[in-house]
């Protein structure tokens, strides 16, 4: 019988305290199977799906074993995308928030290499990065692995699918062999098993097989449409399924851009997310979507992988994904934590066999309701003004700003109620705060004329 309580683990008291604060009560199956092994320093290859709790599983042992007084690189986590890397960094900072002096750095594209190199020079304990940027910094002789104790490959199969196999092998050859090597992968292709045989020491293979975990408790809806009719069909779907937060998935960047233009013509706030968008713009887009300032996000899978989004109500597959596992990943973003969710797919009549396969994979049935007819140009009526507006502040983590500083300024001298303030996001050199639309103008004016922690920052509405 596996232990299920976090208190059964030999974790540092400050980590157990944070686990209690964050409301974690029992370990998920993947955590219960892997945490004792990882804490014991064992190599491991774990099979787990998105949302299974694997980030916490590999983060707690890393934090537990850190030597904080020594600002040396002790753990490296490789991720397939910058978005997943950012999510891992965020989770690590939450879990390590009682470890004073903890330094965690994201090593990804979209940020200046020179700035990352300078931060490494000052000293960090954990680096989380994409293979391309990590290899670039290795070649510039900016990464010192002498004190590295743990290497984690997160979503290893996805990194191989994206063509990072050679980069990963090159990185592995640069790292001391006296290390703990951990891999998490949704599948076990021969390429992953070959990597494990060569670079891991007597690894434990962990697979969580739980029928209740594989069943998707989401309303899955399909509408048949011809390719030429898909843009109009999307408009009708958005009208019939109005929601406060919708992601529309496309298979190409061109389709994303076309749909954003089409929806924007209806005077509905919408944003795009794909591989050509720079990191600063991605941060802005995601802040506005999470804050509710944008209610529709149109994205490709690569750009959307690893995004941390609460309360997502609707996922639309404008294009069915090329791989069935990607479908499960897409729709699994909605209906989390006991909330209801809906996933709509636009399918061609020739997709019958694909749909049957997806039903088997998700242990669910597609609903085929009638789609009521509405005029294409009435979309804005179903997406009335956003409840929140997002204010950008020209200071962030490196300016020692914390969410409490912004909240305190607005609810103190700013005179706003706590209920008027939504999500607050802190990035390295910028911050975003959601404010109720009815109070947004007065909040902006207050921030323009006031100081936060004794400093004046530039502020503006994000649009």
């Amino acid at each position: 019988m596996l232990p299920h309580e976090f208190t059964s683990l030999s974790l540092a008291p400050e980590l157990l305290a944070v686990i209690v604060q964050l409301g974690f009560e029992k370990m998920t199956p993947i955590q219960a199977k892997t945490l004792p092994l990882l804490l014991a320093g064992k190599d491991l290859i774990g099979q787990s799906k998105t949302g299974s709790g694997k980030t916490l599983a590999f983060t707690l042992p890393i934090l537990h074993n850190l030597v904080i007084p020594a600002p040396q690189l002790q753990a490296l986590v490789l991720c397939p995308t910058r978005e997943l890397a950012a999510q891992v960094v965020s989770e690590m900072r939450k879990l390590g928030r009682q470890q004073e002096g903890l330094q965690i750095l994201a090593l990804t594209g979209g940020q200046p290499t020179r700035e990352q190199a300078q931060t490494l020079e000052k000293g960090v304990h954990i680096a989380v990065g994409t293979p391309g940027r990590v290899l670039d910094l290795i070649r510039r002789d900016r990464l010192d692995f002498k004190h590295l104790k743990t290497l984690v490959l997160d979503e290893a199969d996805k990194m191989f699918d994206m063509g990072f196999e050679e980069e990963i092998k090159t990185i592995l050859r640069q790292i001391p062999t006296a290390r703990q090597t951990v891999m998490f992968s949704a599948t076990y292709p021969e390429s992953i098993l070959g990597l494990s045989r060569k670079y891991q020491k007597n690894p434990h293979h962990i697979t969580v097989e739980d029928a209740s975990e594989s069943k998707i408790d989401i309303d899955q809806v399909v509408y048949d449409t011809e390719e030429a009719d898909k843009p109009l069909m999307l408009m009708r779907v958005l009208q019939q399924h109005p929601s406060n937060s919708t992601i529309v998935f496309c298979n190409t960047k061109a389709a994303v851009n076309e749909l954003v233009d089409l929806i924007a013509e209806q005077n509905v706030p919408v944003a795009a997310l794909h591989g050509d968008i720079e990191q600063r713009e991605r941060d802005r887009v995601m802040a506005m979507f999470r804050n509710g300032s944008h209610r529709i996000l149109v994205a490709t899978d690569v750009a959307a992988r690893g995004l941390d989004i609460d309360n997502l109500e609707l996922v639309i597959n404008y294009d069915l994904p090329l791989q069935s596992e990607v479908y499960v990943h897409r729709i699994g973003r909605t209906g989390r934590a006991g909330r209801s969710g809906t996933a709509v797919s636009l399918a061609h009549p020739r997709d019958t066999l694909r749909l049957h396969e997806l039903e088997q994979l998700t242990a669910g049935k597609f609903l085929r309701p009638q789609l009521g007819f509405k005029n294409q140009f009435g979309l804005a009526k179903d997406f009335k003004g956003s409840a929140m507006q997002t204010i950008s502040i020209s200071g962030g983590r490196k300016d020692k700003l914390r969410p409490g500083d912004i909240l305190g300024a607005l609810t103190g001298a700013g005179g706003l109620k706590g209920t008027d303030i939504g999500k607050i996001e802190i990035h390295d050199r910028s911050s975003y705060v959601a404010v109720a639309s009815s109070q947004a103008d007065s909040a902006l004016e207050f921030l323009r004329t006031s100081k936060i922690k004794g400093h004046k920052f530039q502020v503006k509405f994000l649009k």
Side-chain angles (χ1 to χ4, degrees):
M1 179 72 75
L2 288 168
H4 291 291
E5 306 289 341
F6 284 100
T7 50
S8 67
L9 302 170
S10 300
L11 281 171
E14 62 268 24
L15 288 175
L16 285 172
V18 171
I19 287 168
V20 171
Q21 292 167 8
L22 294 174
F24 295 118
E25 296 178 358
K26 294 183 181 296
M27 289 183 273
T28 65
I30 193 69
Q31 291 165 359
K33 286 189 173 185
T34 60
L35 269 166
L37 294 169
L38 294 175
L39 283 165
K42 305 294 185 183
D43 281 13
L44 181 148
I45 177 167
Q47 185 170 5
S48 68
K49 293 181 170 60
T50 297
S52 62
K54 62 182 169 60
T55 304
L56 184 142
F58 65 70
T59 294
L60 287 178
I62 288 173
L63 294 175
H64 176 79
N65 290 315
L66 283 183
V67 180
I68 297 293
Q72 300 155 332
L73 186 60
Q74 299 167 50
L76 173 66
V77 181
L78 292 178
C79 302
T81 68
R82 65 181 78 171
E83 289 76 23
L84 181 58
Q87 184 179 339
V88 170
V89 168
S90 175
E91 288 299 305
M92 285 185 154
R93 284 179 174 144
K94 277 185 202 171
L95 291 164
R97 63 192 185 190
Q98 287 198 14
Q99 293 176 284
E100 192 171 344
L102 175 64
Q103 296 294 324
I104 304 172
L105 177 64
L107 300 177
T108 61
Q111 298 289 343
T113 307
R114 186 173 54 124
E115 195 172 296
Q116 292 173 354
Q118 288 171 346
T119 304
L120 286 168
E121 188 87 15
K122 294 174 184 174
V124 301
H125 300 100
I126 304 169
V128 183
T130 49
R133 179 52 62 91
V134 169
L135 187 56
D136 180 33
L137 286 161
I138 288 174
R139 287 171 173 160
R140 294 170 187 255
D141 200 25
R142 295 293 192 168
L143 277 167
D144 181 359
F145 292 127
K146 286 199 297 286
H147 304 280
L148 195 81
K149 295 186 282 189
T150 304
L151 169 69
V152 178
L153 304 184
D154 192 11
E155 298 196 4
D157 55 343
K158 185 58 61 176
M159 286 192 279
F160 272 52
D161 288 346
M162 294 171 66
F164 287 129
E165 182 173 356
E166 287 309 312
E167 286 91 338
I168 290 170
K169 289 178 179 177
T170 303
I171 292 167
L172 283 163
R173 289 193 291 267
Q174 304 299 316
I175 296 175
T177 54
R179 64 169 187 266
Q180 180 184 34
T181 306
V182 180
M183 298 187 197
F184 280 96
S185 183
T187 58
Y188 283 171
E190 178 54 36
S191 56
I192 297 298
L193 294 175
L195 195 74
S196 172
R197 284 191 292 268
K198 186 168 183 180
Y199 293 104
Q200 290 188 299
K201 301 182 294 290
N202 303 316
H204 293 258
H205 287 236
I206 302 297
T207 301
V208 174
E209 294 181 355
D210 186 340
S212 65
E213 285 190 343
S214 64
K215 182 167 174 32
I216 304 293
D217 189 19
I218 295 166
D219 286 337
Q220 298 180 73
V221 178
V222 65
Y223 295 110
D224 291 327
T225 180
E226 297 290 337
E227 189 68 27
D229 298 330
K230 281 171 68 174
L232 175 57
M233 182 64 76
L234 175 65
M235 295 298 148
R236 292 172 63 190
V237 168
L238 288 170
Q239 288 176 307
Q240 183 129 333
H241 299 272
S243 85
N244 290 313
S245 56
T246 299
I247 292 186
V248 181
F249 280 107
C250 302
N251 290 343
T252 66
K253 291 179 282 191
V256 169
N257 292 332
E258 288 171 11
L259 291 185
V260 166
D261 290 344
L262 185 64
I263 295 169
E265 286 174 4
Q266 310 298 310
N267 294 316
V268 173
V270 60
L273 199 68
H274 55 63
D276 286 349
I277 295 175
E278 290 297 318
Q279 188 63 42
R280 188 181 296 274
E281 175 67 6
R282 290 178 187 225
D283 291 342
R284 184 190 72 82
V285 165
M286 288 313 305
M288 295 188 73
F289 186 65
R290 282 191 283 254
N291 286 343
S293 298
H294 282 336
R295 289 165 61 183
I296 302 175
L297 179 69
V298 187
T300 58
D301 289 298
V302 170
R305 195 164 188 87
L307 293 180
D308 182 16
I309 304 168
D310 296 328
N311 304 325
L312 183 62
E313 297 176 7
L314 176 65
V315 166
I316 299 176
N317 296 296
Y318 183 79
D319 299 316
L320 284 179
L322 303 178
Q323 297 174 312
S324 299
E325 304 80 42
V326 174
Y327 173 83
V328 177
H329 182 80
R330 285 181 181 182
I331 72 170
R333 297 183 169 284
T334 185
R336 291 184 172 181
R339 301 185 184 96
S340 61
T342 302
V344 174
S345 296
L346 304 186
H348 191 276
R350 65 170 176 266
D351 293 322
T352 301
L353 289 177
R354 285 290 317 281
L355 295 173
H356 179 64
E357 177 190 336
L358 295 177
E359 284 184 328
Q360 290 184 313
L361 187 63
T362 60
K365 285 284 186 184
F366 280 107
L367 305 174
R368 293 179 175 270
Q370 289 295 314
L371 189 59
F373 181 78
K374 289 189 179 183
N375 189 288
Q376 176 184 356
F377 300 100
L379 192 59
K381 296 177 184 176
D382 298 281
F383 288 85
K384 296 179 175 64
S386 300
M388 309 296 279
Q389 288 197 50
T390 304
I391 296 175
S392 167
I393 301 170
S394 67
R397 192 176 294 111
K398 293 192 174 181
D399 303 288
K400 310 298 184 187
L401 273 188
R402 299 171 303 170
D405 299 324
I406 298 171
L407 179 64
L410 288 171
T411 57
L416 273 70
K417 298 176 183 175
T419 52
D420 293 328
I421 312 298
K423 194 173 182 69
I424 299 174
E425 293 189 23
I426 308 291
H427 297 271
D428 282 348
R429 291 294 186 190
S430 61
S431 301
Y432 305 111
V433 55
V435 179
S437 293
S438 60
Q439 302 296 323
D441 288 337
S442 58
L444 183 73
E445 185 58 31
F446 168 75
L447 291 173
R448 274 181 177 158
T449 57
S450 305
K451 294 182 178 180
I452 305 175
K453 290 190 76 171
H455 297 281
K456 287 201 74 170
F457 298 101
Q458 292 182 336
V459 296
K460 63 181 179 181
F461 285 129
L462 286 185
K463 296 181 180 178

